[in-house]
Amino acid sequence: MKQITDIDLIDLILGFSIMIIPVLLLLYYKIKLVKSILLAIVRMSLQLSLVAVYLEWIFEQNNAWINSLWVFVMIVVGASASIKRIGLNWRFFILPMFLSSFISVLIIDTFFLGFVIRLDYVFDARYFIPITGMIIGNSLNHNIVGLTAYFKGLSEKSDLYFFLLTNASDSKMALRPYISESVKRGLNPMIAMMTVMGLISLPGMMTGQILGGSSPTVAIKYQIMIMLAIFTGCTINLFLGILLSNRFVFDGYGRLKEGIFKGGNSQ
Amino acid sequence: MIVCNKLSLSFDRIPVFRDLSFEIYKGEFVTVNAASGKGKTSLLKILQGYVLPASGTVLINGVELGEHTINKIREQIIWIPQNVNLPVDCGMELIEMLNLKSNINSIKQVLDKLGLDSDFLSKSFKKISGGQKQRVVVAICLGINRPLVLMDEPTSSLDEESIKMLLDVVKSTGDKTFFTASHNKTWMEHSDRIIELG
């Protein structure tokens, strides 16, 4: 396999110049996105540069405790980002969101790193951190879509919930349509993405591995494994996010508590 | 069956009703009447614990409504709201959802009394009229074996003939207590009693 061609600083700066095209288009059509796009690019560059520094150090140490601490930080940041993006109240959601991510990561990492790849050292930073990162990163997007559908549905379509809660006298039955809708909305984009993977999209991980010098066969095997891990991780995370949140968000009468959304409930 | 004692309700500090007290006896057919926004639907929701009054107490079958008794109370109630977007395609799906398959014969009988044959249970809700859908939902809900029926604006999608058929069903179901919210003249005329709000 050929060695990967490094990108030097000047070429990296040259790469940024391509942003002129979207910025000019936005300016021409007076779409007020330029400031947020530039801010996002600066943040992304700074964050990734810092991560590069951390990861270099973490990979060098390759210590189980340090690696686990890094994963713990990723889980906390992921849970916080979900809560913030959906506009939920921290008081009710930080514990369920953290636990759902933690449990899904625990199950997926144990299964794939321990039983599928069968690493001698499960906490090996080269596997443990990127695979966990991909699970958390993807879960974040799908959780946001799924949980938004769930809580908005319960808040805005409360008549159906009350109808089922009284007539079925079973909160699980009353919540089922909302859970079903949430899971469909949360997972459908991933199902669509898997359906066309390799045909109209080349996944990032596989591309990265090939660029990094792996053979396409190895890269594809890892890609299939990571997609299974991500899909299962997202599903577990979304279900647990809903089921654990349910323990905090309903009052003694089975009603959605006031103030679960930051700006107040619309119920 | 229902005892409401000095119920007061307000939304955003605006009083809806104050010191409302009434009793409804087993087997009665009582209708609450009021102008729009005067608390008819809220009163029916108070009886199920979905809206909490500012003050006052509710007893259903001698049990005071509260956090610890709410499940027991809801197990005695059938709730037929005015309009609900059900997550089902047809009546049969709703029957399965509410676990009422063993009551299918009594549901078909009620449906027949409401002027629809049992085929309507399998017809898509998208392909039948609002009034037919309402009658299918009412027939299914009345198939739930519980003593107290709460109905919100049961006549809203029904023509005069269908209203009379529904009244016949209500009148012939002597073992159930009906507490309904309506301002339909025919419906009120046939009720045992009217409670005026506001």
Side-chain angles (χ1 to χ4, degrees):
Chain A
M1 283 288 148
K2 280 183 187 172
Q3 269 300 99
I4 187 164
T5 309
D6 195 5
I7 304 173
D8 64 33
L9 196 62
I10 302 291
D11 293 335
L12 197 60
I13 292 166
L14 180 67
F16 274 93
S17 65
I18 196 74
M19 286 305 296
I20 289 169
I21 298 170
V23 167
L24 284 178
L25 280 169
L26 293 170
L27 285 175
Y28 181 77
Y29 284 99
K30 292 181 180 163
I31 300 168
K32 290 178 182 169
L33 276 177
V34 177
K35 198 177 157 192
S36 47
I37 286 174
L38 292 178
L39 194 67
I41 290 167
V42 170
R43 275 193 65 164
M44 174 193 74
S45 308
L46 281 175
Q47 282 161 200
L48 287 177
S49 307
L50 284 173
V51 168
V53 175
Y54 298 153
L55 286 181
E56 289 281 0
W57 182 77
I58 284 171
F59 277 46
E60 220 168 85
Q61 302 297 315
N62 207 11
N63 175 290
W65 290 105
I66 295 172
N67 296 351
S68 302
L69 183 67
W70 180 252
V71 165
F72 180 84
V73 169
M74 287 200 290
I75 291 174
V76 171
V77 172
S80 311
S82 297
I83 293 169
K84 199 176 167 193
R85 284 272 298 279
I86 304 168
L88 298 171
N89 192 327
W90 290 71
R91 191 158 57 96
F92 299 111
F93 291 95
I94 189 65
L95 190 61
M97 291 296 129
F98 172 78
L99 283 177
S100 61
S101 292
F102 179 77
I103 294 169
S104 62
V105 162
L106 190 70
I107 293 170
I108 299 301
D109 278 352
T110 305
F111 181 74
F112 281 99
L113 300 182
F115 298 107
V116 178
I117 306 178
R118 272 179 266 169
L119 295 175
D120 293 333
Y121 179 44
V122 176
F123 296 102
D124 190 341
R126 276 167 54 84
Y127 296 87
F128 183 44
I129 291 174
I131 288 178
T132 309
M134 289 192 78
I135 296 166
I136 294 170
N138 281 279
S139 295
L140 175 74
N141 296 330
H142 299 282
N143 259 359
I144 287 168
V145 175
L147 289 171
T148 302
Y150 183 67
F151 288 110
K152 291 273 180 205
L154 271 175
S155 175
E156 289 166 9
K157 296 177 193 167
S158 57
D159 278 352
L160 168 64
Y161 171 64
F162 294 153
F163 174 83
L164 294 171
L165 193 55
T166 294
N167 292 327
S169 288
D170 181 351
S171 59
K172 282 180 194 156
M173 181 74 88
L175 291 172
R176 197 169 287 172
Y178 298 93
I179 294 176
S180 167
E181 182 64 18
S182 155
V183 172
K184 273 186 203 163
R185 292 235 191 141
L187 298 184
N188 264 341
M190 187 175 289
I191 294 168
M193 186 178 73
M194 284 200 290
T195 311
V196 295
M197 193 162 277
L199 292 175
I200 57 168
S201 72
L202 278 183
M205 184 199 184
M206 190 181 102
T207 315
Q209 268 192 302
I210 293 170
L211 284 173
S214 294
S215 82
T217 315
V218 173
I220 281 168
K221 281 194 265 186
Y222 268 89
Q223 186 61 49
I224 291 171
M225 188 215 65
I226 197 70
M227 284 314 296
L228 297 175
I230 288 171
F231 185 76
T232 314
C234 284
T235 310
I236 296 171
N237 201 342
L238 183 52
F239 269 105
L240 283 179
I242 292 170
L243 298 177
L244 294 173
S245 298
N246 284 348
R247 303 186 76 83
F248 296 89
V249 298
F250 293 105
D251 67 10
Y253 292 91
R255 305 176 309 162
L256 213 52
K257 283 179 185 168
E258 285 292 326
I260 67 153
F261 292 105
K262 262 191 175 166
N265 294 13
S266 54
Q267 192 176 304
Chain B
M1 187 83 207
I2 302 174
V3 179
C4 288
N5 190 26
K6 291 192 169 177
L7 283 183
S8 296
L9 178 71
S10 53
F11 288 126
D12 298 328
R13 293 183 188 167
I14 300 164
V16 180
F17 50 75
R18 197 174 284 168
D19 288 336
L20 177 69
S21 297
F22 62 86
E23 274 188 55
I24 293 169
Y25 303 101
K26 196 179 169 192
E28 264 196 311
F29 166 28
V30 178
T31 296
V32 57
N33 176 43
S36 277
K38 291 291 179 185
K40 295 193 298 288
T41 304
S42 297
L43 179 59
L44 297 180
K45 287 187 174 175
I46 285 175
L47 300 181
Q48 301 169 76
Y50 298 133
V51 171
L52 299 186
S55 60
T57 55
V58 174
L59 277 87
I60 292 181
N61 253 352
V63 178
E64 187 171 341
L65 193 147
E67 274 188 14
H68 301 292
T69 56
I70 191 63
N71 290 336
K72 206 173 167 186
I73 283 174
R74 283 187 192 140
E75 280 169 12
Q76 301 186 56
I77 296 174
I78 297 169
W79 169 227
I80 307 176
Q82 181 180 0
N83 235 324
V84 63
N85 274 325
L86 295 165
V88 291
D89 183 52
C90 65
M92 280 312 291
E93 263 188 68
L94 184 60
I95 288 169
E96 277 173 33
M97 184 176 248
L98 296 175
N99 208 9
L100 293 173
K101 269 192 163 176
S102 55
N103 301 10
I104 191 82
N105 286 334
S106 64
I107 292 169
K108 283 179 180 173
Q109 279 172 14
V110 176
L111 200 59
D112 184 54
K113 286 179 190 169
L114 292 174
L116 296 176
D117 62 49
S118 55
D119 289 349
F120 273 86
L121 291 175
S122 311
K123 286 189 180 173
S124 169
F125 281 158
K126 287 173 193 159
K127 291 178 181 168
I128 59 178
S129 71
Q132 287 168 331
K133 181 182 165 185
Q134 192 171 14
R135 281 182 278 168
V136 170
V137 173
V138 167
I140 292 169
C141 288
L142 291 179
I144 305 170
N145 190 22
R146 294 179 184 175
L148 175 59
V149 184
L150 305 178
M151 294 171 112
D152 190 15
E153 300 289 358
T155 60
S156 60
S157 305
L158 302 182
D159 56 27
E160 202 60 23
E161 195 189 348
S162 302
I163 292 171
K164 282 176 183 160
M165 285 192 276
L166 181 57
L167 279 166
D168 285 341
V169 169
V170 169
K171 293 269 181 186
S172 63
T173 318
D175 57 334
K176 290 191 194 298
T177 306
F178 284 83
F179 186 40
T180 69
S182 177
H183 43 61
N184 179 277
K185 209 176 160 193
T186 312
W187 190 265
M188 287 196 288
E189 278 170 6
H190 286 79
S191 301
D192 295 337
R193 260 192 307 142
I194 307 288
I195 294 172
E196 297 282 352
L197 281 185

